[in-house]
Amino acid sequence: MFFSPVFSWLLLGGLLQTVAPWGAGRTGRPTQCDPPKSQSELNSFLWRVNRTPPQPPSYLFGTIHVPYTRVWDYIPNSSKQAFRSSSNVFFELDLTDPLTISKLTSCQLLPHGENLQTLLPRDLYRRLKRHLDYVKHMMPYWMTADQRGRGLYADYLFNAIAGNWERKRPVWVMLMVNSLTEWDVRSRGTPVLDLFLAQEAERMGKKTGAVERVEEQCHPLNGLNFSQVRRIKKDSSS
């Protein structure tokens, strides 16, 4: 399904980290904050699938959804070369397709015109609203001069991240709140690794595609009930 008579590259997004060469807890070895000293210290998270000659190999690469500038220096040259040499590139989702983005936005909404004010316990809803009001107030102070120089404004950025939040399902609001930190706000405008590679693939004239449909990502999350979402939030905060 993913292979063809030319080099192929399949991105496995969000499941494997390509952040740093060693675990942060290993004594005497580089941590996530250490710059790479040599290519030999870098983990690739790149698998090669060999086929009977003369068929060329295919590759499977693990990514993480963070700004590509945070991890690019930790990706070995061997992985970058595999990407450059591949004629076909298949991603988790096609993030360059406006229809994909539209479907992702729609799948996050509560059904039948419901909203969080009637769904969440009153105290929790008020705490959430206060927090989002605080984030909106702080947004101008969190933004960088570079972001403002590129035409990004605080109100626009807040609405791009948290717009229509009262109509979203609790699990998507939880994910949204987790991304509303000062660090995340300051990195907005820089493509995440998946999107950066998709843009590079298009620029290089490669054939691109997706291995998943939006529904395959949305339905499992939308199937979580409120108690499960609260438990996930609690576990992620501990």
Side-chain angles (χ1 to χ4, degrees):
M1 177 178 181
F2 308 127
F3 309 122
S4 66
V6 289
F7 285 98
S8 297
W9 167 283
L10 172 64
L11 226 66
L12 187 63
L15 298 180
L16 299 168
Q17 287 188 318
T18 56
V19 176
W22 300 99
R26 296 185 180 182
T27 305
R29 291 177 174 175
T31 66
Q32 291 189 359
C33 295
D34 292 327
K37 294 182 176 64
S38 69
Q39 288 291 308
S40 63
E41 290 184 344
L42 300 180
N43 289 333
S44 66
F45 296 108
L46 177 73
W47 285 262
R48 186 173 66 183
V49 182
N50 291 320
R51 294 181 288 171
T52 304
Q55 300 296 328
S58 294
Y59 299 93
L60 179 68
F61 183 58
T63 67
I64 185 171
H65 301 311
V66 296
Y68 82 94
T69 50
R70 184 183 175 191
V71 297
W72 192 247
D73 289 341
Y74 294 99
I75 299 176
N77 290 335
S78 58
S79 298
K80 296 173 182 176
Q81 178 56 36
F83 175 76
R84 287 193 294 267
S85 65
S86 297
S87 300
N88 299 329
V89 186
F90 298 89
F91 297 90
E92 181 183 10
L93 293 174
D94 185 359
L95 298 179
T96 64
D97 182 5
L99 182 59
T100 297
I101 303 303
S102 176
K103 287 182 176 180
L104 280 171
T105 301
S106 298
C107 86
Q108 297 178 20
L109 300 179
L110 287 163
H112 314 304
E114 297 179 26
N115 64 74
L116 287 176
Q117 187 170 10
T118 59
L119 186 65
L120 296 180
R122 180 179 300 180
D123 179 62
L124 181 58
Y125 175 82
R126 288 177 175 173
R127 286 166 51 200
L128 174 61
K129 190 174 187 307
R130 283 198 303 269
H131 177 70
L132 292 177
D133 287 342
Y134 163 77
V135 170
K136 187 173 184 179
H137 171 74
M138 294 301 298
M139 191 79 77
Y141 305 100
W142 289 350
M143 292 183 63
T144 66
D146 179 66
Q147 286 174 316
R148 289 189 287 270
R150 284 183 280 139
L152 288 175
Y153 296 94
D155 285 344
Y156 169 81
L157 195 56
F158 180 83
N159 288 329
I161 303 172
N164 207 24
W165 66 268
E166 291 183 319
R167 287 275 294 110
K168 291 185 178 181
R169 296 173 185 263
V171 65
W172 296 103
V173 173
M174 178 197 71
L175 295 173
M176 177 196 75
V177 169
N178 287 344
S179 70
L180 280 172
T181 65
E182 180 177 356
W183 184 92
D184 285 298
V185 168
R186 293 171 69 88
S187 67
R188 288 284 172 161
T190 301
V192 295
L193 181 58
D194 303 60
L195 179 57
F196 170 73
L197 290 174
Q199 292 170 339
E200 283 294 286
E202 285 197 339
R203 184 182 66 81
M204 296 177 181
K206 301 178 184 294
K207 178 183 178 181
T208 61
V211 297
E212 293 184 11
R213 294 178 293 111
V214 170
E215 295 79 9
E216 292 173 318
Q217 293 212 346
C218 283
H219 289 173
L221 288 174
N222 289 348
L224 297 174
N225 60 41
F226 181 64
S227 297
Q228 291 170 319
V229 173
R230 293 194 68 173
R231 179 57 185 269
I232 293 172
K233 177 60 178 174
K234 180 180 178 182
D235 291 344
S236 65
S237 301
S238 59

